[in-house]
């Protein structure tokens, strides 16, 4: 065999050298790729905050004040929160028109909307989008001096000027449902200081939406004096106004799946179940819904609203629960039993003890 023939292919040593070079190049490029991703996420989040800021100002222009942090009745029933109240000014979704504002935020009747995720309320790259009981999350919290119980703060009350007052910002953890009527949190004196703080550790700081509509990035090295100055900028709410439950919601990387149920094609309603679970895991939440079929023209923006009938837990008598709904009149006996069987099969995989939050 000639030398040229021996050199026609690469030796094992040469292959190893090439592999090492490729791995080194990948190792050198990975940090830059990660930085580019985080930069894109920061840009997206900044735009989300600007959209929320615009919605807040449009709400203010319409109602002459910012939305209440939470609508809390005299009997202490928590109804709706400020992130719900700005939905009509945020995007073109029909969600706000689908909510019955006379029912509490966690009433199963409003479950379809409150169990949905709102992209503008989320930070790209954060996997947690839902609570373990299915509520859609927000990764932002509001200034408790502006958003508190039954608040109605006006721009003219900001004596230091809108540019020196913050509205909301990204939080590190302890995420809450976006429909929760207590979405406010003190700014604190240090960013990226644990799950109860503001900021994103991967960014070494976080964005704050200011009351003039601008968005500023604050480093985790920002001095406590600057944050204290922002936090104490008037108006300042009382401790009674800002009191909130000590609830910490269990959150995770969950997803919802819609399961169609049988009904009369000529009937007035359709039925379906929404099932929430971890990817590849067992169901955690099963909620049964009814929705009126489309009318001409639609009575509501986006068409008829899905409304919750009941939630299934590990002890629910599915046949009895379905029998108490309009489905019992709008399905044949065979269809009804098929629906019962479908739901019971999913029910068997539910945890024995349901999470309430």
């Amino acid at each position: 065999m000639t030398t040229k023939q021996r050199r026609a292919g690469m030796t094992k040593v040469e292959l190893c050298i090439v592999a090492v070079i490729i791995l080194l190049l990948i190792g050198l490029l990975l940090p830059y790729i990660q930085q580019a991703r985080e930069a894109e996420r920061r840009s997206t989040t900044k735009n989300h905050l600007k959209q929320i800021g615009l919605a807040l100002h449009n709400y203010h222009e319409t109602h002459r004040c910012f939305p209440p942090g939470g609508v809390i009745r005299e009997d202490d029933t928590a109804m709706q929160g400020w992130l719900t109240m700005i939905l009509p000014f945020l995007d073109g979704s029909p969600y706000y028109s689908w909510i019955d504002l006379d029912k509490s935020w966690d009433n199963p009747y409003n479950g379809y909307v409150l169990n949905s995720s709102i992209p503008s309320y989320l930070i790209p790259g954060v996997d947690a989008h839902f609570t373990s009981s299915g509520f859609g999350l927000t990764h932002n919290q509001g200034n408790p001096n502006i958003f508190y119980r039954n608040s109605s703060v006006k721009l003219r009350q900001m004596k230091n000027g809108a540019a020196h007052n913050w509205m909301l910002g990204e939080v590190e953890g302890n995420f809450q449902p976006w429909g929760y009527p207590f979405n406010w949190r003190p700014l604190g004196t240090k960013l990226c200081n644990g799950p109860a703080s503001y900021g994103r550790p991967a960014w070494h700081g976080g964005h704050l939406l200011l009351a003039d509509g601008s968005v500023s990035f604050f480093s985790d090295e920002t001095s406590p004096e600057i944050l204290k100055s922002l936090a104490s900028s008037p108006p300042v709410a009382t401790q009674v106004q800002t009191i909130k439950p000590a609830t910490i919601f269990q959150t995770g990387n969950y997803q919802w799946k819609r399961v169609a149920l049988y009904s009369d094609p000529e009937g007035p309603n359709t039925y379906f179940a929404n099932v929430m679970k971890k990817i590849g895991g067992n169901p955690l939440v099963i909620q049964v819904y009814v929705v009126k079929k489309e009318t001409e023209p639609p009575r509501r923006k986006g068409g008829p609203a899905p409304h919750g009938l009941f939630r299934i837990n590990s002890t629910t008598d599915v046949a009895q629960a379905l029998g108490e709904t309009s489905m019992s009149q709008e399905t044949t006996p065979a269809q009804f039993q098929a629906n019962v069987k479908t739901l019971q099969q999913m029910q068997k995989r539910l945890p024995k003890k349901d999470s309430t939050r």
Side-chain angles (χ1 to χ4, degrees):
M1 183 179 294
T2 65
T3 303
K4 288 184 178 181
Q5 289 176 320
R6 288 197 303 269
R7 295 295 297 172
M10 296 181 68
T11 67
K12 290 183 179 179
V13 173
E14 289 171 329
L15 286 172
C16 289
I17 292 173
V18 171
V20 169
I21 292 172
I22 292 173
L23 289 173
L24 286 173
L25 289 173
I26 293 174
L28 290 171
L29 289 173
L30 278 177
Y32 294 100
I33 294 173
Q34 184 62 27
Q35 288 176 14
R37 286 177 178 171
E38 292 300 336
E40 183 178 356
R41 289 167 178 167
R42 281 179 57 174
S43 177
T44 299
T45 300
K46 184 176 182 179
N47 287 332
H48 286 172
L49 291 178
K50 286 183 177 180
Q51 291 170 14
I52 296 173
L54 181 60
L56 285 167
H57 277 271
N58 286 336
Y59 183 100
H60 189 285
E61 184 175 344
T62 302
H63 299 280
R64 298 293 182 260
C65 65
F66 290 114
V71 177
I72 314 299
R73 295 194 321 202
E74 290 185 0
D75 62 1
D76 215 33
T77 300
M79 300 302 288
Q80 310 298 332
W82 65 274
L83 287 167
T84 297
M85 306 308 290
I86 65 171
L87 283 177
F89 306 94
L90 187 65
D91 57 28
S93 79
Y95 285 164
Y96 185 79
S97 67
W98 286 0
I99 297 174
D100 186 340
L101 298 177
D102 291 328
K103 300 184 185 300
S104 63
W105 77 279
D106 54 355
N107 188 298
Y109 185 83
N110 291 328
Y112 185 83
V113 176
L114 277 297
N115 290 346
S116 301
S117 63
I118 309 294
S120 296
Y121 296 163
L122 302 174
I123 299 173
V126 177
D127 291 334
H129 288 185
F130 300 97
T131 71
S132 59
S133 59
F135 293 117
L137 293 175
T138 176
H139 298 154
N140 304 303
Q141 290 292 290
N143 181 349
N145 291 325
I146 297 175
F147 305 109
Y148 52 84
R149 290 170 171 254
N150 301 316
S151 60
S152 57
V153 174
K154 301 173 177 60
L155 274 170
R156 66 170 179 266
Q157 294 177 253
M158 300 179 184
K159 303 302 182 182
N160 292 345
H164 300 284
N165 215 311
W166 69 288
M167 299 285 282
L168 66 139
E170 308 133 346
V171 292
E172 183 174 338
N174 291 351
F175 304 124
Q176 298 182 164
W178 61 261
Y180 193 46
F182 302 99
N183 278 317
W184 59 79
R185 183 180 299 185
L187 184 57
T189 58
K190 184 173 176 55
L191 302 183
C192 305
N193 193 35
S197 67
Y198 284 81
R200 298 296 303 155
W203 302 345
H204 303 288
H207 297 94
L208 293 180
L209 171 70
L210 303 181
D212 64 357
S214 64
V215 178
S216 295
F217 183 82
F218 290 80
S219 162
D220 55 10
E221 298 298 325
T222 301
S223 70
E225 288 72 23
I226 292 177
L227 297 179
K228 286 179 182 178
S229 177
L230 274 173
S232 61
S233 185
V236 177
T238 67
Q239 185 176 1
V240 172
Q241 289 172 322
T242 60
I243 192 170
K244 58 186 289 188
T247 306
I248 295 180
F249 294 86
Q250 180 182 346
T251 64
N253 188 12
Y254 308 116
Q255 62 180 1
W256 283 101
K257 180 180 179 181
R258 181 165 172 157
V259 178
L261 299 174
Y262 291 109
S263 61
D264 182 359
E266 303 300 322
N269 299 312
T270 57
Y271 300 85
F272 66 93
N274 263 3
V275 183
M276 193 193 77
K277 60 181 181 178
K278 284 188 175 181
I279 297 176
N282 288 329
L284 294 174
V285 179
I286 304 173
Q287 177 74 49
V288 180
Y289 292 96
V290 60
V291 58
K292 289 185 179 296
K293 291 181 180 175
E294 194 76 50
T295 58
E296 294 291 346
R299 295 182 180 179
R300 289 173 180 253
K301 176 183 177 182
H307 292 308
L309 292 175
F310 60 92
R311 173 175 163 169
I312 297 174
N313 59 39
S314 59
T315 61
T316 301
D317 186 326
V318 174
Q320 179 180 337
L322 283 181
E324 294 173 353
T325 72
S326 55
M327 180 189 286
S328 61
Q329 306 300 318
E330 297 177 11
T331 56
T332 66
Q335 289 174 330
F336 184 85
Q337 289 303 318
N339 290 334
V340 170
K341 183 176 180 180
T342 295
L343 295 173
Q344 285 178 337
Q345 287 175 342
M346 294 187 292
Q347 181 189 34
K348 291 177 181 178
R349 300 168 61 194
L350 285 171
K352 295 301 180 183
K353 184 177 181 179
D354 294 329
S355 169
T356 59
R357 290 296 185 192

